[in-house]
Amino acid sequence: MRIDIITVLPELLKSPFEASILKRAIEANLVEVHFHNLRDYTSDNYKTVDDYQFGGGAGMVMLIEPIDKCITKLKSERTYDEIIYMTPDGETLKQGVANALSLKKNIIVLCGHYKGVDQRVRDMFVTKEISIGDYVLSGGELGAAVLCDAIIRLIPGVLGNETSALTDSFQDNLLAPPIYTRPRDYKGHKVPDVLFSGNFPEIEKWRENQAYERTKSRRPDLLDD
Ligand code: ADE
């Protein structure tokens, strides 16, 4: 898979890809991540990427021209499955969205800044709009990092244990059950006995029940879906 991220602030985005699982995924060539600085696609000396809104109103708007130049160049090099715009008014990111995107070959992620992009960018180029939650960030970069992390960990081979993404919270619309490791008794707080029973069907049943109870008490909305 290849992800091209278009941004005015590449430095804000790079570090999540330079550590841990994402770094290993890139080094193992399971995913390629490329950053494109919009200022490299400007044509004036000031490298202008934004301007005032037509009609008045507070806040700057990202210009269509540098975005067009960048996307058009990328599209001339390969075919993209999705061109995603990170925006608080997009579809809320859920596990299912990440699952679907992890199966794509090439995607572009466009990070908005200031008040956002000129509407014509959305009309002309964008195929999908994603929000990471009902709050406003100062730019799409942190949202793009969240989206990329959620996608990349699902690519086969990225996680050491192939089954671990499948047992995450939200896969099957359930939260994950409690987990424990050493010591068995910590200051009187004991690990449930069933986990030492050696009876794996019993342990599985316990985990399923815990996942269900946890979901029912914390996120009953998930059980309605
Ligand atoms: N840009 C600003 N706020 C955002 C959000 N909640 N999700 C994605 N991109 C954003």
Side-chain angles (χ1 to χ4, degrees):
M1 174 177 210
R2 174 182 169 119
I3 305 177
D4 286 282
I5 305 179
I6 303 174
T7 168
V8 288
L9 279 172
E11 63 276 19
L12 185 58
L13 248 174
K14 285 190 174 161
S15 72
F17 299 91
E18 289 166 358
S20 188
I21 290 174
L22 301 192
K23 180 184 181 190
R24 267 192 281 124
I26 291 166
E27 285 175 353
N29 289 320
L30 295 168
V31 63
E32 272 180 53
V33 182
H34 298 269
F35 301 94
H36 305 277
N37 189 337
L38 261 190
R39 293 195 195 277
D40 297 339
Y41 295 85
T42 53
S43 40
D44 63 321
N45 287 340
Y46 300 103
K47 299 190 183 294
T48 309
V49 291
D50 62 331
D51 209 335
Y52 295 100
Q53 286 192 52
F54 281 140
M60 306 296 273
V61 179
M62 286 171 74
L63 294 166
I64 190 168
E65 195 186 349
I67 298 173
D68 178 7
K69 280 190 180 148
C70 183
I71 291 180
T72 301
K73 174 175 175 285
L74 290 172
K75 283 172 80 171
S76 74
E77 293 163 352
R78 65 196 65 74
T79 307
Y80 285 92
D81 301 300
E82 296 284 5
I83 300 180
I84 300 165
Y85 174 50
M86 301 307 301
T87 175
D89 58 6
E91 171 187 4
T92 307
L93 177 60
K94 298 272 174 68
Q95 191 62 49
V97 176
N99 291 351
L101 289 173
S102 75
L103 302 173
K104 306 289 184 194
K105 195 159 178 286
N106 300 312
I107 63 174
I108 290 175
V109 180
L110 171 63
C111 304
H113 240 274
Y114 319 106
K115 276 280 162 197
V117 296
D118 186 306
Q119 178 58 38
R120 291 166 294 183
V121 170
R122 301 167 76 158
D123 299 340
M124 290 170 64
F125 303 110
V126 170
T127 61
K128 199 172 190 60
E129 303 191 328
I130 295 181
S131 162
I132 64 160
D134 288 345
Y135 39 82
V136 178
L137 302 167
S138 40
E141 283 75 12
L142 297 178
V146 168
L147 174 67
C148 290
D149 185 298
I151 294 173
I152 292 171
R153 62 193 299 288
L154 296 170
I155 297 172
V158 169
L159 294 185
N161 178 351
E162 285 279 4
T163 63
S164 55
L166 297 175
T167 56
D168 284 341
S169 282
F170 304 114
Q171 299 289 5
D172 356 339
N173 272 348
L174 286 177
L175 301 181
I179 50 172
Y180 299 90
T181 185
R182 290 181 299 122
R184 184 166 178 169
D185 182 334
Y186 189 69
K187 299 180 177 176
H189 294 261
K190 296 195 178 66
V191 176
D193 286 334
V194 61
L195 297 176
F196 302 96
S197 65
N199 182 340
F200 293 105
E202 195 62 30
I203 293 173
E204 205 35 50
K205 219 166 79 194
W206 178 84
R207 287 187 172 141
E208 279 168 18
N209 184 255
Q210 290 284 317
Y212 176 76
E213 290 301 328
R214 189 172 261 195
T215 309
K216 200 168 84 175
S217 69
R218 298 182 181 194
R219 292 291 307 277
D221 57 298
L222 293 177
L223 298 174
D224 302 336
D225 291 351

